[in-house]
Amino acid sequence: MADKPVYEEASIDGQPPKLASIPASDTTVWADASPLLQAACAGLRDGELIHGDNFNLFAAMSALEIMDPKMDSGIVCTYYSIDEAIENGAAPIPISLDSTIDVRCTIDIMDHLLACEAAWHKGHSLAQTVFSCIYLLRLDRTAPHALLHSYCRIIRATCKAVVSVVSDARTHEEEDLFTMTYGLPLNGDGDDKCLSILNAVEETISRQLRACKATSSKRRLPEDLEPLQSNPNLEEGFCKALLCRLRFRKHFFHVLSCMKRPQGRGLESARKHIASCLTELESILKSADFLRSCFDESCEGDIDDKTTASGFEPIGFDAMLNSRLSAPTPPRAIKILSWKKAVEYFVKLLHDLDVICSYSLDPRLESLLRFVVQFQKSQPDLVARSHLQLLLVQDGKLYGRDPFFAVINKAAALPEATKNHDIQKNESFLQLGMLVMNLLKILCTNAAWQRRKLGKFLQDWRVIYVQLELAFRNEYGEVSSSSNDENTCMKIFQHILLWVEEQTYWIAFRFLILGFELELYSTGEYCMVYWYLYAVLIKLTEKTHLMMAVSHDTAKRKGKKKKDSPKDLARESRIPPAVLFLQCYICLAEGLTMYLSRCLLL
Amino acid sequence: MLLQQQKETRGRERTMEAKPEEKAEFEEAEIEYVSYGGEHHLPLIMNLVDQELSEPYSIFTYRYFVYLWPQLSFLQAFHKGKCVGTVVCKMGEHRNTFRGYIAMLVVIKPYRGRGIATELVTRSIRMMMESGCEEVTLEAEVTNKGALALYGRLGFIRAKRLFHYYLNGVDAFRLKLLFPPPRQVL
């Protein structure tokens, strides 16, 4: 039987009572360690240190000084536990007995949760953001409050879905914080029904809205329906404010579900829901004027910094309750995004997702690479990038649909017929398929990580080239065209070897160009960088031109029956536009190198 | 070469100064640079770092440095007996290179913009070079223009960008100074 906590007298200003002692439980007992510590202090001289063999920098930096508020998570907190917080009225149900205030407070909670969600997406831990909401930590408690309950359920289901997508995409390093969910109640029974629960609440509020509009136009009340809250002047405003928020959540959840469908089957539906989300976000923004004006009391501080549309502080949040769950780092007060910035974040996220959903799933690799590079220019965040990656690489196939050998076959300008050739079972070709898959994954990561990976990746592409070349020479050392199949195999090797070279130079080019975006080059280094670009572009252009010539050959062989018209001959001698474009780059790089080298001399 | 750079840049640092709000008055010659002398220096260093840097470090972090590299780890700048700046470093093998690492660099506000930080770093680098290091690295926030300028002048390049390295979401640059290979003995 646990001891009852010993409380001091509750202070007059309504602060929660401070515990005089932390209660012992069934499995713990307190013992005074002061004499032991005293003796230990006397046992060491100035400058002496006792340490284990593993006393390295990481161990030293992970050490904490107990009771130092900068390092000890437990020392700074208002409540010892979630239960204590609830017992002290930190998360009341209903929020207020005055239904008008209750509704406004519910909207404040919804807004603050949106701000928390955006802060989480931007890189803070789930424990300190979305799950700083006490209502969310004990969701079953909210059952009597239909509005809060349905909203909390869908938030929980949404967070779970987003964590799942980002986990599957397997993020790296600093982005690992995103998927840390241990200790958090992310799995709820019945969350699969969250949409129907939300729909029921939405339906009720829609009827309440219709009812209050009917009253205002002096028409007879169609149903005997209880209004949302007690002030008839505010009824319409509140109903509208709630409806757009509920609808946004519904459509956003649908976006995630649609995009999850394999092989991009749900992309078109997702686009429709994205459009609805954006409409609802606009309504949410517009509702701010109403929410700020409906109460006489004005709120202190800059309205733009607030995490709610109304400007009031939300009830029921405590970021320190989970401080012990948030990562192995010292406790840090994080700044939740302002409500306005949160809405902006979601607008951008939705636009990025829309770009992904509009993609035509082009089977040509070079188009796909161009698309990904272009997409990355808008600096999409983690959630958008994870969705892109999962669309591109599923079940070891491109778009979950095209085997990578077939993709390479096409990219290397080989005829359709060879895409099922047995040669793909060869170890080197299997590895090449993996390299292409990894390239796509790397291209979906954040620019900083991407550049480092691409730099190391160049080595892998060089190695595969050497391996393929070796395999080629071993099989077809002498030029002897006996069987048809041998001819085909030779051709496959030749095309693919050329293609691998082209890809390698493309990766080198991306590596160099990313340095500009990441601000890695000082002005004094530009000359050197442009010179390298010039060298790489020359090789890239050479290989691209060769690839195009070879692909033209393949096309020609297809339509062998037709006679060569003068038009065809003319087309052959013209330089393909893609190559011309690269030649422009070469001229630019060369010019800049020359110009900058002269600047250095001055 | 380094000394020449310092002379040129001191002038630039002065013009870059913001309106001095309680700038200390002193001559460069009055600054005394002192290596770690013992336990009595430790609280000075810890206070300085605690005051100026946002990352909290336990006593163990400092002990780690001073225990393993007593000569190198702490260099301090004193003005009339008061510790006004410090640099904390280490050296070690890292993937087949012997490299130096600058962990912390602090100069209190009234003494900034006068080349103390540059002097602290320069002396540390010299010591690392003499100890056989092949390179020196550190991380700095991408927004810390002062630090980036200081190290840029000393020849550090931006080797990598680290996404959201700091907990406030700011990216970092990994800065690296490569030493020229030692002269071959004929």
Side-chain angles (χ1 to χ4, degrees):
Chain A
M1 180 65 178
D3 285 344
K4 278 253 152 142
V6 176
Y7 287 102
E8 290 172 354
E9 290 272 316
S11 41
I12 303 164
D13 60 331
Q15 288 295 315
K18 294 218 160 52
L19 282 176
S21 66
I22 300 168
S25 72
D26 293 343
T27 50
T28 60
V29 81
W30 291 106
D32 190 358
S34 328
L36 184 64
L37 290 169
Q38 215 82 46
C41 288
L44 284 175
R45 281 198 309 273
D46 239 23
E48 281 196 310
L49 173 73
I50 297 175
H51 71 91
D53 287 332
N54 63 348
F55 183 55
N56 60 14
L57 183 59
F58 183 73
M61 290 199 61
S62 312
L64 304 172
E65 281 187 32
I66 299 178
M67 290 175 66
D68 182 332
K70 274 190 177 179
M71 290 183 252
D72 186 345
S73 318
I75 200 73
V76 183
C77 59
T78 33
Y79 300 109
Y80 180 62
S81 68
I82 303 169
D83 292 315
E84 196 205 320
I86 291 170
E87 270 166 46
N88 284 290
I93 305 267
I95 309 167
S96 167
L97 291 170
D98 178 335
S99 59
T100 311
I101 298 187
D102 186 272
V103 168
R104 192 215 79 209
C105 287
T106 308
I107 295 177
D108 290 340
I109 292 171
M110 292 179 178
D111 290 345
H112 189 84
L113 276 171
L114 190 78
C116 286
E117 205 180 344
W120 170 50
H121 282 205
K122 283 254 164 209
H124 293 296
S125 70
L126 196 56
Q128 275 183 293
T129 53
V130 179
F131 279 89
S132 66
C133 179
I134 301 170
Y135 294 109
L136 211 58
L137 290 168
R138 293 274 191 276
L139 209 145
D140 296 329
R141 267 186 83 232
T142 61
H145 195 301
L147 200 48
L148 198 55
H149 185 78
S150 58
Y151 198 82
C152 286
R153 261 199 197 274
I154 193 136
I155 285 258
R156 184 168 70 181
T158 304
C159 288
K160 187 168 169 205
V162 173
V163 167
S164 158
V165 167
V166 173
S167 297
D168 287 348
R170 246 158 280 184
T171 54
H172 317 275
E173 284 192 354
E174 309 85 12
E175 291 173 333
D176 275 349
L177 206 60
F178 190 90
T179 49
M180 275 173 156
T181 58
Y182 60 88
L184 294 175
L186 253 188
N187 294 306
D189 275 338
D191 270 2
D192 48 334
K193 299 193 188 61
C194 65
L195 274 176
S196 49
I197 299 171
L198 196 73
N199 284 336
V201 174
E202 190 194 333
E203 187 49 43
T204 310
I205 301 180
S206 298
R207 274 190 264 137
Q208 282 161 336
L209 180 63
R210 278 198 295 273
C212 82
K213 280 186 169 163
T215 342
S216 63
S217 65
K218 304 273 201 276
R219 270 189 281 139
R220 210 172 65 83
L221 269 162
E223 309 129 83
D224 194 24
L225 185 68
E226 212 181 287
L228 178 69
Q229 44 82 56
S230 52
N231 187 335
N233 296 327
L234 304 175
E235 182 80 354
E236 189 177 331
F238 274 124
C239 285
K240 284 186 174 159
L242 276 171
L243 279 173
C244 55
R245 283 160 172 79
L246 293 173
R247 285 173 181 155
F248 166 72
R249 287 257 71 105
K250 173 178 75 177
H251 286 293
F252 189 65
F253 190 75
H254 277 301
V255 170
L256 297 173
S257 312
C258 290
M259 288 188 79
K260 225 183 170 121
R261 285 164 61 188
Q263 299 181 28
R265 292 203 187 108
L267 296 184
E268 224 182 287
S269 312
R271 288 199 76 193
K272 298 197 181 103
H273 288 292
I274 289 172
S276 304
C277 279
L278 289 166
T279 312
E280 300 304 339
L281 280 174
E282 260 191 64
S283 306
I284 291 175
L285 277 175
K286 287 201 193 109
S287 70
D289 286 331
F290 164 75
L291 290 165
R292 255 176 255 153
S293 61
C294 62
F295 288 91
D296 286 331
E297 36 174 323
S298 57
C299 38
E300 310 163 359
D302 189 3
I303 192 78
D304 282 336
D305 275 344
K306 299 292 179 177
T307 56
T308 60
S310 67
F312 288 99
E313 291 299 310
I315 292 175
F317 290 85
D318 188 333
M320 296 315 288
L321 279 176
N322 280 329
S323 53
R324 269 159 270 174
L325 291 176
S326 32
T329 52
R332 226 166 273 265
I334 57 162
K335 196 160 192 287
I336 300 286
L337 255 64
S338 75
W339 177 75
K340 271 223 177 88
K341 286 250 170 326
V343 173
E344 274 171 33
Y345 166 78
F346 276 99
V347 168
K348 176 168 199 298
L349 173 63
L350 288 161
H351 279 128
D352 290 336
L353 291 176
D354 195 51
V355 169
I356 298 170
C357 291
S358 326
Y359 181 58
S360 61
L361 305 191
D362 197 321
R364 291 169 302 165
L365 188 62
E366 58 276 19
S367 305
L368 172 56
L369 294 177
R370 257 199 307 273
F371 169 75
V372 179
V373 167
Q374 187 61 31
F375 176 68
Q376 284 275 31
K377 286 199 179 138
S378 65
Q379 294 180 323
D381 287 301
L382 179 58
V383 175
R385 283 188 275 108
S386 302
H387 275 96
L388 177 63
Q389 197 203 292
L390 290 182
L391 174 67
L392 299 185
V393 182
Q394 287 167 40
D395 296 329
K397 297 195 191 127
L398 181 67
Y399 315 128
R401 177 188 81 191
D402 308 333
F404 278 102
F405 186 76
V407 174
I408 295 168
N409 190 78
K410 205 186 192 88
L414 285 162
E416 272 287 296
T418 52
K419 76 176 184 192
N420 294 316
H421 199 282
D422 269 346
I423 206 172
Q424 64 185 288
K425 297 193 185 126
N426 179 302
E427 184 63 35
S428 302
F429 286 104
L430 285 171
Q431 280 181 23
L432 184 62
M434 292 293 295
L435 281 186
V436 175
M437 196 163 77
N438 287 339
L439 176 63
L440 291 175
K441 287 185 180 174
I442 291 171
L443 290 174
C444 292
T445 59
N446 69 73
W449 175 264
Q450 193 185 134
R451 189 178 185 270
R452 281 146 61 197
K453 275 318 229 184
L454 286 178
K456 295 192 184 134
F457 209 33
L458 276 171
Q459 181 76 339
D460 297 338
W461 281 81
R462 196 59 207 153
V463 166
I464 202 83
Y465 181 85
V466 169
Q467 265 179 257
L468 283 166
E469 199 184 39
L470 211 64
F472 178 50
R473 249 188 253 133
N474 286 340
E475 301 266 327
Y476 313 100
E478 313 278 307
V479 178
S480 54
S481 46
S482 38
S483 74
N484 238 353
D485 186 61
E486 272 189 10
N487 266 342
T488 315
C489 284
M490 255 183 82
K491 190 160 171 212
I492 293 175
F493 265 110
Q494 283 168 331
H495 278 236
I496 289 185
L497 278 170
L498 180 58
W499 177 77
V500 168
E501 279 193 298
E502 191 196 7
Q503 269 312 120
T504 311
Y505 287 116
W506 186 87
I507 294 171
F509 175 72
R510 288 299 313 151
F511 176 78
L512 290 167
I513 286 283
L514 273 170
F516 286 109
E517 189 187 311
L518 297 169
E519 299 175 287
L520 289 177
Y521 309 134
S522 66
T523 44
E525 291 173 296
Y526 282 173
C527 182
M528 171 189 75
V529 175
Y530 281 118
W531 183 83
Y532 270 119
L533 274 168
Y534 169 68
V536 168
L537 281 165
I538 287 189
K539 293 306 269 182
L540 178 60
T541 311
E542 179 190 307
K543 302 302 167 189
T544 306
H545 204 168
L546 270 168
M547 274 286 9
M548 298 204 141
V550 139
S551 105
H552 183 79
D553 255 2
T554 309
K556 250 187 97 180
R557 219 156 286 156
K558 263 193 187 162
K560 226 176 181 173
K561 294 167 190 163
K562 292 193 191 142
K563 259 199 263 181
D564 272 338
S565 72
K567 247 195 193 165
D568 288 334
L569 288 165
R571 208 176 293 138
E572 266 181 63
S573 58
R574 257 193 281 143
I575 301 173
V579 176
L580 277 173
F581 188 59
L582 283 170
Q583 285 179 342
C584 292
Y585 269 141
I586 291 175
C587 292
L588 259 175
E590 189 181 1
L592 282 163
T593 309
M594 296 301 213
Y595 170 68
L596 288 165
S597 66
R598 273 165 178 65
C599 289
L600 280 180
L601 288 170
L602 292 168
Chain B
M1 185 61 180
L2 277 169
L3 217 60
Q4 176 67 13
Q5 274 179 331
Q6 278 168 44
K7 280 194 192 151
E8 283 168 31
T9 57
R10 267 191 201 142
R12 244 184 273 154
E13 277 172 336
R14 261 184 217 126
T15 54
M16 268 165 29
E17 247 173 41
K19 288 233 169 79
E21 304 159 315
E22 32 151 313
K23 281 286 172 186
E25 290 288 319
F26 65 96
E27 299 294 316
E28 265 96 36
E30 287 173 15
I31 305 291
E32 216 194 321
Y33 294 94
V34 176
S35 292
Y36 181 72
E39 192 69 17
H40 59 282
H41 276 164
L42 210 52
L44 298 174
I45 295 162
M46 285 176 63
N47 276 334
L48 209 58
V49 175
D50 207 44
Q51 226 177 295
E52 303 286 338
L53 298 183
S54 55
E55 302 281 315
Y57 295 117
S58 76
I59 181 103
F60 293 105
T61 309
Y62 299 98
R63 292 245 173 261
Y64 170 80
F65 284 104
V66 85
Y67 183 74
L68 291 166
W69 305 277
Q71 315 82 13
L72 178 66
S73 36
F74 305 124
L75 188 62
Q76 299 151 85
F78 279 91
H79 182 232
K80 296 187 174 152
K82 176 178 168 192
C83 183
V84 301
T86 185
V87 65
V88 180
C89 313
K90 72 180 188 96
M91 295 188 290
E93 272 297 319
H94 180 91
R95 291 192 194 163
N96 295 324
T97 48
F98 192 57
R99 66 143 85 144
Y101 180 74
I102 300 174
M104 305 173 215
L105 174 67
V106 184
V107 173
I108 56 174
K109 281 203 179 73
Y111 287 80
R112 288 190 198 160
R114 299 289 301 276
I116 295 176
T118 306
E119 185 63 29
L120 285 167
V121 171
T122 307
R123 287 179 186 230
S124 303
I125 293 174
R126 202 172 283 140
M127 217 182 305
M128 289 173 189
M129 198 154 53
E130 285 162 9
S131 309
C133 285
E134 297 161 59
E135 59 185 43
V136 181
T137 68
L138 67 127
E139 291 92 32
E141 286 172 304
V142 302
T143 48
N144 192 344
K145 292 202 178 351
L148 295 174
L150 191 161
Y151 292 106
R153 285 194 292 268
L154 292 173
F156 281 78
I157 59 164
R158 299 173 189 182
K160 294 179 191 171
R161 184 162 178 144
L162 304 164
F163 185 71
H164 285 190
Y165 187 72
Y166 296 101
L167 269 144
N168 56 1
V170 177
D171 292 357
F173 286 125
R174 170 128 326 122
L175 301 176
K176 200 180 263 208
L177 178 68
L178 294 146
F179 291 139
R183 296 230 176 94
Q184 299 290 333
V185 179
L186 292 165

